[in-house]
Amino acid sequence: MRHAGHFVRLLALVAITVVGFLFVRSLVVPKDYGIKGHYRLSAIDDEAKREPRHIGSAACAECHDEIAAMWKAGKHHTPQCENCHGPGLMHTKVVAEDSTKGYADKILKNKNAIKRPTGIQECKWCHLKTFERPSTLKSIASVERHITDHKGTYTPNSKCVDCHNPHTTVVTPGKSGLASLTTAAK
Ligand code: HEC
Ligand code: HEC
Ligand code: HEC
Ligand code: HEC
């Protein structure tokens, strides 16, 4: 029994550690943690209260009716406005608090307001051929080949919107896609 003291001290140390852990845990773990599972129950309400950053193409159409009509009637209505332009919530807030005239200024200051797509990068996300894309999605194997095949001149600054209207995909010979952004190309 000469060594019983060591054992008691070890036991006391373990007990202090366990009680200390439980005490600190009770301070830092939220009260409603673990009621339904390994999460804070009120987290559900907190998340539900957050304003969605995406507003949907129908909301864009309320103001950009001409572009929305072309997009809807054209061959490119599967990708949604915000797939290319990014989330629209900030944009509608900026528009609401400013006149159209002041808008250009405002957007330069607030780069998050709405994205002006590059006209090549977003296109490549969906259309550059990779093995995992569905074969039904029309894709191009190489930007350079595609452009030269269609009698264009390839440079490192070439964009898809040099030829294609991004909202309809229509190619208007002799015109850039941007020139016909709001006028439906025949
Ligand atoms: C409340 C009306 C309103 C809504 C809703 C709205 N916009 Fe706009 N938007 C405007 C106005 C006003 C301008 C500035 C004038 C213009 O260029 O037509 C503008 C400009 C733009 C521009 C040009 C930005 C630039 O850099 O010149 C883009 C791109 C755009 N909107 C996309 C969208 C998209 C995408 C949506 C939906 C997510 C959307 N807008 C929803 C009113 C709106
Ligand atoms: C496939 C990608 C794509 C989709 C989908 C798309 N856009 Fe665009 N949008 C572009 C590109 C690219 C530009 C040209 C940006 C530039 O100026 O270089 C543009 C330009 C615009 C502009 C500015 C027009 C101008 O005259 O300066 C507006 C406004 C706009 N888009 C609204 C919309 C709305 C509304 C929708 C949905 C109905 C939509 N876009 C869907 C790619 C897209
Ligand atoms: C989010 C994915 C997505 C992005 C980004 C996208 N596209 Fe598309 N594109 C599609 C889908 C899906 C189709 C098939 C037609 C449809 O269902 O709308 C298509 C069809 C096309 C077609 C063929 C239309 C036909 O004749 O059948 C062309 C050309 C095209 N896109 C060009 C572009 C260009 C240029 C850009 C960039 C401005 C772009 N796409 C960006 C998804 C995308
Ligand atoms: C020099 C002009 C030009 C440029 C730049 C260009 N295209 Fe095209 N593209 C065409 C023409 C012309 C067609 C033939 C179909 C048509 O008239 O819409 C076409 C067809 C397509 C098709 C349909 C392919 C099919 O199998 O039918 C896709 C997808 C496409 N382009 C995507 C793109 C993408 C993505 C870019 C940018 C990386 C791009 N294009 C740049 C001229 C161009």
Side-chain angles (χ1 to χ4, degrees), residues 65-74 165 167-168 180-185:
D65 51 339
E66 248 180 289
I67 287 180
M70 287 170 62
W71 167 78
K72 208 169 215 159
N165 180 314
H167 301 134
T168 59
S180 52
L181 267 183
T182 45
T183 46

Side-chain angles (χ1 to χ4, degrees), residues 45-66:
D45 286 339
D46 290 353
E47 288 302 313
K49 269 194 229 115
R50 284 172 56 174
E51 207 171 4
R53 293 171 65 228
H54 290 87
I55 61 172
S57 299
C60 310
E62 281 175 25
C63 298
H64 298 287
D65 51 339
E66 248 180 289

